[in-house]
């Protein structure tokens, strides 16, 4: 099977400053990659590169030719939505269809059906008339995932999420992890998720990328855990008081949130 995307010795810079370098990895269709690393390690910059918002300064980033731009969904790092954000949930999801509109200035029945289908799929069908700005953090993330799903005409192939769990309570995190896993395993969507929560992420993903302004590790969670570096990173991430430390994360009973 061909890789969905490949980075070869890629680096990304801002002016003279290198944000992240030494990127050398491939993702296969239906991989679930978690990108971890301290603040400023280059995680969001890498996502900008994958989204083609930034060109590699050196090296190469290539996509499988079957992956089209409009099959990629992106949830940026969250900034608080204004409480009076003036749109209903359905309108926010429908706005993902703007690029598909013909000459008529209205959304079609088809657009509305796709938007409702996407909302139902993410478990937010009952929210369609709510104001988007009034939603909880977890609800708004689900709605934005629905928007990404409704946007892709032939189905979403790649979902990119930048710290989607930030600010969510443990229950909302669990629900969001479950939704992302469902989209990955049942819908075959490749997932790239930036997260600080490596312990939970390791339950779900099949690839880990550790950045520290360069690629430090890329591989399977088991492999990550088998390295001194990986164990140290996991230990630090949970403050040394996590039941997972010193054991395999597989012995834990569920998402550690
Ligand atoms: P992370 O997402 O891991 O916190 P970023 O990719 O946002 O890291 O940032 C990596 C480095 O690039 C940091 O040193 C940051 O200050 C710098 N950086 C990020 N965005 C910009 C920008 N727009 N202009 C200049 N430097 C930037
Ligand atoms: Mg970031």
């Amino acid at each position: 099977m061909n890789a969905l995307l490949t980075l070869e010795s890629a680096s990304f810079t801002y002016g003279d400053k290198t944000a992240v370098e030494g990127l050398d990895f491939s993702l296969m269709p239906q991989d679930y990659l978690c990108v971890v690393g301290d603040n400023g390690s280059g995680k969001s910059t890498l996502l900008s590169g994958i989204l083609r918002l930034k060109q590699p300064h050196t090296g190469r980033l290539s996509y499988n030719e079957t992956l089209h731009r409009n099959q990629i969904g992106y949830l940026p790092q969250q900034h608080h939505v204004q409480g009076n954000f003036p749109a209903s949930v359905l309108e926010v999801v429908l706005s993902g269809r703007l690029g598909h509109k013909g000459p008529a200035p209205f959304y079609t029945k088809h657009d509305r059906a796709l938007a409702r289908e996407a909302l139902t799929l993410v478990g937010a069908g009952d929210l369609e008339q709510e104001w988007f700005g009034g939603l909880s953090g977890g609800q708004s993330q689900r709605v934005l995932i629905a928007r990404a799903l409704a946007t892709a005409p032939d189905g979403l192939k790649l979902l990119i999420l930048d710290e989607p769990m930030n600010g969510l309570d443990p229950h909302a995190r669990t629900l969001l992890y479950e939704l992302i896993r469902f989209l990955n395993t049942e819908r075959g969507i490749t997932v790239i998720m930036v997260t600080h929560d490596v312990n939970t992420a390791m339950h779900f993903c099949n690839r880990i990328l550790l950045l520290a302004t360069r690629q430090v590790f890329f591989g399977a969670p088991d492999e990550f855990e088998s390295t001194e570096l990986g164990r140290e990173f996991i230990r630090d991430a949970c403050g040394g008081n996590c039941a997972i430390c010193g054991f395999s994360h597989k012995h834990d009973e569920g998402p550690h949130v």
Side-chain angles (χ1 to χ4, degrees), residues 206-223:
N206 72 335
R207 292 287 176 271
I208 296 233
L209 173 68
L210 172 59
L211 299 181
T213 69
R214 64 187 170 84
Q215 178 173 320
V216 177
F217 175 89
F218 174 82
D222 282 357
E223 234 179 293

Side-chain angles (χ1 to χ4, degrees), residues 141-157:
Q141 293 292 50
R142 299 172 94 74
V143 169
L144 292 176
I145 291 176
R147 183 182 187 279
L149 289 166
T151 303
D154 310 317
L156 197 65
K157 283 199 179 154

